[in-house]
Amino acid sequence: MTKKSALQIARAEYKPKVPTILQGKVKIEEGVATQSVANQKEVQALFPHTYGFPLLKFIADKNDSSSGNSAIASVAASVGSDKPINVGVILSGGQAPGGHNVISGIFDGIKEIHPNSLLYGFILGPDGLINHKYTELTADIIDEYRNTGGFDIIGSGRTKLETKEHFDKGLEILYKLKISALVIIGGDDSNTNACMLAEYYASINAGVQVIGCPKTIDGDLKNDMIEASFGFDTACKVYSEVIGNIQRDCNSARKYWHFIKLMGRSASHIALECALQVQPNICLISEEVEDRAQSLDDIVNYIAGVVAHRAENGNNFGTVLVPEGLIEFIPAMKALITELNDFLTHNATEFNMIKRREKRAYIIRKLSRENSVLYESLPEQVALQLTLDRDPHGNVQVSLIETEKLLAEMVERRLKEWTEDGRFKGKFATQTHFFGYEGRCAAPSNYDADYCYSLGYTTAGLIAAGKTGYMSSVRNTTAPAAEWVAGGVPITMMMNIEKRHGVMKPVIQKALVKLDGAPFKTFAAKRDKWAIETDYVYPGPIQYFGPKEVCDQPTITLRLEQGR
Amino acid sequence: MTKKSALQIARAEYKPKVPTILQGKVKIEEGVATQSVANQKEVQALFPHTYGFPLLKFIADKNDSSSGNSAIASVAASVGSDKPINVGVILSGGQAPGGHNVISGIFDGIKEIHPNSLLYGFILGPDGLINHKYTELTADIIDEYRNTGGFDIIGSGRTKLETKEHFDKGLEILYKLKISALVIIGGDDSNTNACMLAEYYASINAGVQVIGCPKTIDGDLKNDMIEASFGFDTACKVYSEVIGNIQRDCNSARKYWHFIKLMGRSASHIALECALQVQPNICLISEEVEDRAQSLDDIVNYIAGVVAHRAENGNNFGTVLVPEGLIEFIPAMKALITELNDFLTHNATEFNMIKRREKRAYIIRKLSRENSVLYESLPEQVALQLTLDRDPHGNVQVSLIETEKLLAEMVERRLKEWTEDGRFKGKFATQTHFFGYEGRCAAPSNYDADYCYSLGYTTAGLIAAGKTGYMSSVRNTTAPAAEWVAGGVPITMMMNIEKRHGVMKPVIQKALVKLDGAPFKTFAAKRDKWAIETDYVYPGPIQYFGPKEVCDQPTITLRLEQGR
């Protein structure tokens, strides 16, 4: 047994809140048949066996006269089942706080169906299913991991379950272990694949249900039925803690501008939530940059403008939050990267023969005029990164670009110009930071511990009811647990058809930051004040044992979205 | 009034623990005359008015029959004083959690001497004293800052108070504000200067006492009488929280080696404490590297060896903690930097005329053979950094060297060689991190909140007793508050004569990691096991409201030092 910290030991005792409705006997209420959010015909054609399912909601069952008082047992009883059930679970993609609690919720739920039910975990993600690597998750193991962060109970992986070979190979081990339900805990892609698996198993009458759970710290898997992806709450709170600490330092030393990059490649929910938490001087939102078709130059001018304005008040310090994906949302940068990808793929041999120190000049000569000018304006280090660090497909690895350093350097250059023409008289020194791994495996906040356990427990209910192709759904979580809603959402309902890597595919629509949504509008209404005044808020570390208002607050994003 | 987080509001109510002895009437017990730790004659000659003072300890005064029950009032009464007193306070150097509590402790203490006592804060460090920038710290202001992190109540600064001009300029404003005692909250250098100031004011009979308080997250200001510098506890706990989170991620994804640099330029206490907290695979200790006269190559081989060993067990992941100052403790690197500093100072004009891309080759030609070979072996980026980024004195800015990236890159190169000759068959991918600003301004842990408040309150006692040239001392803090010892230590007692920037100066001896001390020996006894097994501990965030064993533990370093 590994050594545990004092907090881990104390925290193991925490009993997550579940929807009050799931504390007594329930039955399933079916809504009307559903449609996909777009491309209904195409999605229906691809998912003939799992399309159009109704929304599901657990409601109190006052007529159930069976003994016991377990919600999940009562669901199983309602469909005439009281046999043990074997369930498999997979953690897919990047880590997110609370994954272990989803698994504990599933475990506790299926043990209520029958004490002899078994839970198997597939090792290191989808690969475990394909390669038949698994472990039985016994009560002892589960108890070791309750309310802990990380995915280390069985590990995770990024392999995409999408081919018939994968599905068939998986089925072999599912049959061998007599697993009749598989739970895939993952983000939008993994849930899309969960639905493809559900569809395939249904199409061949395999007798295996597939249920998904919404995970991602990025917060971009949400919609009318899935109000949050788990882990977003905890990760944002950890980032806000350290950003708050940096802001307090910034406000004490009064001599640095801190450029802080945060995870969020496809959407800027994390940066926005952190901004609402800590009230920085500047926060960039990728979706807005794209919407306004801003150039890198526009962004640099905006930041430099705030720096200059603050300097006039004697404040040569500040904080800038930058979402990881920013670069790809700048239309001109996107065009440059596209041309670079294309050019480097077609001229790889020639490019590789050119001396390192001459590569930059070579690229400047070869690109189209517009892209060449932009490329030339980039700091040397970034320019090199854009041509040297390519993935196996020859594409530029945008995620390696240190956007926080790029911006700090370009703003510095701009301010030097402004100093020369007298527009800037302040000082400008920078520090840069990137926070990602610091938050993905934190121990879950009370919110994520509760939400995840409830998602897992609800999943067991959907399994007990014999459902497949559904995502577990727990809603209204900014209200007290008595008002939480638990049920299932057909995964096909969230899908549309999008071009991904050049191919049209059915995918779950990603939730980007809505520029007309309450979280962004709240931020936009305050940012000019935050830019000039120093209105920093210091959230401090996640607390587990203190007053409710300290320990039990959902994200500001969710509260604003739900008008609370 | 600025907006506060829920935690800040709840935490404002916390009442720090103080030594039980200071909860009733006390008097001062004087020990025997003291000596400086070394160079007694020289130190005595430099500090004729403040040398040789006795150790001071507050002990219960059962014969005091005055009304009230305040420790500080009873001290004042014992020297026949019951008048209001005006006190000034300066925050000097880098931020450390708990500074605001030192100030609250001073405030509460001097208000017990007389309700009309006043506390003035000098703005942005020693500059505030020299330039006469100050603010009165009223009860309203103090209450806003109790138990908060940061130094933003009055700001801090790095100007060194060391010339007669500074001292005289300071005296003007001290006289104007009728301040008869000045408190300097700072690290070893600032406390050395506090003592010089005390000596000078004593020598001219200025009538101003000077008291120091031991601050630094680096933990290198400690000795037999000062058991900890404040902020070390909180900062290490914040770093351990995020390192723990990274380790959980590392152990879940199982695909990265994380190289994590931590603050601590002169000493490796932070890295050592974090290692004891989180049990990483590798932690480098600068003092050991120097003691063993290790080369950069030795260190790279050591890390690569652990990586290879873990890979044999299928574990292509791990964590490496690196103290910020490492480079300067490698004798060969120190020699290289010394030659570079010397060479670049004398050949600045020629060097500046050489094209950027040819600078590296130029340096390789010019350096002595031994240093040239080492310089050539460094990654290009680091080599450039060593010659381009120099401070105003022409010296290499070692603190800008990204040691974590340097090591990651050199280990990768070494493993490539080993792959070629078949000694390494694993995978090696890295992530790098640097934690510093994340912890310096965190809200103080219970330990630091208690310790700092007690230091401040004790300072008020030393002021009441008319003492000068002392550092406030609170000891035995791993025991319950009833056993804490409070008093004062003559600053001259901690001094010796050292060469600093080429000049022999009286300075407080820096406390380095002792290789025969319990903290290092505990680490050294376990590190081989930690290297190969995965024994990560996940401390989680600092807790303020939970069980005692979670909220009230001092650092492992201090517990080991005190044998608890």
Side-chain angles (χ1 to χ4, degrees), chain B residues 346-414:
Chain B
H346 291 101
N347 301 277
T349 321
E350 187 176 324
F351 181 73
N352 290 336
M353 284 171 61
I354 289 169
K355 282 188 197 155
R356 188 185 163 102
R357 66 176 65 147
E358 283 155 17
K359 285 185 191 291
R360 184 170 166 271
Y362 170 81
I363 294 286
I364 290 171
R365 282 199 308 278
K366 295 294 185 177
L367 290 182
S368 65
R369 179 64 177 266
E370 198 172 33
N371 287 333
S372 176
V373 169
L374 175 57
Y375 183 81
E376 196 172 6
S377 78
L378 297 174
E380 210 174 313
Q381 194 62 21
V382 175
L384 265 179
Q385 245 170 3
L386 276 177
T387 56
L388 292 180
D389 297 323
R390 282 176 290 149
D391 70 14
H393 308 288
N395 291 323
V396 167
Q397 288 192 271
V398 183
S399 63
L400 292 183
I401 298 174
E402 297 176 300
T403 321
E404 69 285 18
K405 291 190 182 170
L406 167 73
L407 290 175
E409 199 171 326
M410 294 187 79
V411 170
E412 187 178 1
R413 216 193 282 167
R414 182 64 31 91

Side-chain angles (χ1 to χ4, degrees), chain A residues 180-194:
Chain A
S180 61
L182 182 66
V183 183
I184 296 181
I185 301 171
D188 51 341
D189 277 356
S190 303
N191 275 284
T192 294
N193 295 340

Side-chain angles (χ1 to χ4, degrees), chain A residues 12-52:
Chain A
E13 303 303 318
Y14 180 72
K15 299 288 173 224
K17 291 185 275 296
V18 291
T20 308
I21 191 75
L22 292 182
Q23 290 168 22
K25 292 177 179 174
V26 290
K27 59 184 178 184
I28 278 186
E29 179 187 73
E30 297 202 349
V32 293
T34 58
Q35 296 271 319
S36 63
V37 286
N39 313 95
Q40 287 84 5
K41 273 193 187 167
E42 295 94 320
V43 176
Q44 182 166 22
L46 289 163
F47 295 91
H49 300 84
T50 49
Y51 188 85

Side-chain angles (χ1 to χ4, degrees), chain B residues 28-329:
Chain B
I28 278 185
E29 180 187 74
E30 297 201 351
V32 294
T34 59
Q35 295 271 318
S36 63
V37 285
N39 313 98
Q40 288 83 3
K41 272 193 186 162
E42 295 94 321
V43 176
Q44 182 166 22
L46 289 164
F47 294 90
H49 300 83
T50 49
Y51 188 86
F53 284 162
L55 284 169
L56 304 179
K57 185 172 158 184
F58 291 108
I59 56 169
D61 185 0
K62 283 165 191 154
N63 300 324
D64 184 335
S65 56
S66 59
S67 65
N69 200 30
S70 149
I72 310 302
S74 70
V75 174
S78 75
V79 296
S81 158
D82 60 354
K83 300 257 176 321
I85 183 169
N86 289 1
V87 173
V89 63
I90 294 175
L91 291 164
S92 180
Q95 282 72 248
H100 292 159
N101 270 27
V102 178
I103 295 177
S104 335
I106 299 170
F107 180 86
D108 291 349
I110 66 168
K111 287 292 181 184
E112 289 178 5
I113 298 176
H114 194 286
N116 292 343
S117 294
L118 297 179
L119 183 61
Y120 289 97
F122 289 97
I123 305 295
L124 286 173
D127 276 348
L129 181 71
I130 301 167
N131 302 325
H132 302 183
K133 304 275 187 211
Y134 62 90
T135 189
E136 191 197 327
L137 295 169
T138 59
D140 282 354
I141 297 174
I142 294 288
D143 286 347
E144 278 289 294
Y145 286 88
R146 287 182 194 268
N147 308 314
T148 61
F151 277 6
D152 43 311
I153 188 170
I154 46 176
S156 182
R158 293 193 179 271
T159 299
K160 291 192 191 304
L161 276 179
E162 42 187 9
T163 67
K164 184 172 175 303
E165 289 66 37
H166 287 163
F167 300 167
D168 288 336
K169 205 79 180 57
L171 201 53
E172 285 174 23
I173 188 67
L174 295 174
Y175 279 160
K176 188 174 157 208
L177 299 174
K178 301 191 170 48
I179 290 174
S180 61
L182 182 65
V183 183
I184 296 181
I185 301 170
D188 52 340
D189 277 355
S190 304
N191 274 284
T192 295
N193 295 339
C195 197
M196 289 167 62
L197 195 61
E199 174 65 28
Y200 179 73
Y201 288 164
S203 75
I204 60 168
N205 267 315
V208 177
Q209 306 159 239
V210 184
I211 304 288
C213 279
K215 172 231 70 170
T216 165
I217 63 160
D218 291 351
D220 55 6
L221 170 49
K222 65 177 172 184
N223 49 54
D224 290 343
M225 293 298 134
I226 302 295
E227 66 187 29
S229 55
F230 77 76
F232 176 68
D233 183 272
T234 307
C236 287
K237 283 174 180 161
V238 174
Y239 302 143
S240 296
E241 173 201 353
V242 290
I243 300 167
N245 289 354
I246 287 171
Q247 290 197 151
R248 192 129 214 174
D249 203 300
C250 182
N251 196 20
S252 300
R254 308 173 78 87
K255 63 178 178 182
Y256 290 118
W257 273 86
H258 292 264
F259 285 70
I260 303 165
K261 187 169 72 174
L262 295 167
M263 276 201 171
R265 192 155 165 208
S266 309
S268 309
H269 299 289
I270 291 179
L272 179 56
E273 170 65 22
C274 291
L276 292 167
Q277 294 270 357
V278 307
Q279 304 190 172
N281 299 107
I282 294 173
C283 176
L284 303 172
I285 300 294
S286 302
E287 290 84 342
E288 184 186 29
V289 167
E290 185 173 49
D291 184 68
R292 293 192 181 184
Q294 289 186 308
S295 66
L296 192 52
D297 211 51
D298 293 335
I299 294 170
V300 169
N301 279 337
Y302 167 61
I303 300 174
V306 173
V307 171
H309 193 149
R310 286 180 64 80
E312 282 169 22
N313 303 337
N315 295 322
N316 291 302
F317 64 92
T319 50
V320 185
L321 306 191
V322 184
E324 191 185 11
L326 181 74
I327 289 295
E328 289 173 288
F329 282 80

Side-chain angles (χ1 to χ4, degrees), chain A residues 5 95 149 151-152 241 245 248-249 252 402 405 431 433 435 437-438 440-441 538 542-544, chain B residues 5 95 149 151-152 241 245 248-249 252 402 405 431 433 435 437-438 440-441 538 542-544:
Chain A
S5 67
Q95 282 72 251
F151 278 7
D152 42 310
E241 174 202 351
N245 289 353
R248 192 129 213 174
D249 203 300
S252 300
E402 297 177 298
K405 291 190 181 169
Q431 296 287 343
H433 313 265
F435 297 121
Y437 295 95
E438 292 76 1
R440 306 195 320 171
C441 284
Y538 313 117
I542 292 175
Q543 297 296 301
Y544 298 109
Chain B
S5 68
Q95 282 72 248
F151 277 6
D152 43 311
E241 173 201 353
N245 289 354
R248 192 129 214 174
D249 203 300
S252 300
E402 297 176 300
K405 291 190 182 170
Q431 296 287 343
H433 313 264
F435 297 121
Y437 294 97
E438 292 75 3
R440 307 195 318 170
C441 284
Y538 314 116
I542 293 175
Q543 297 295 301
Y544 299 109

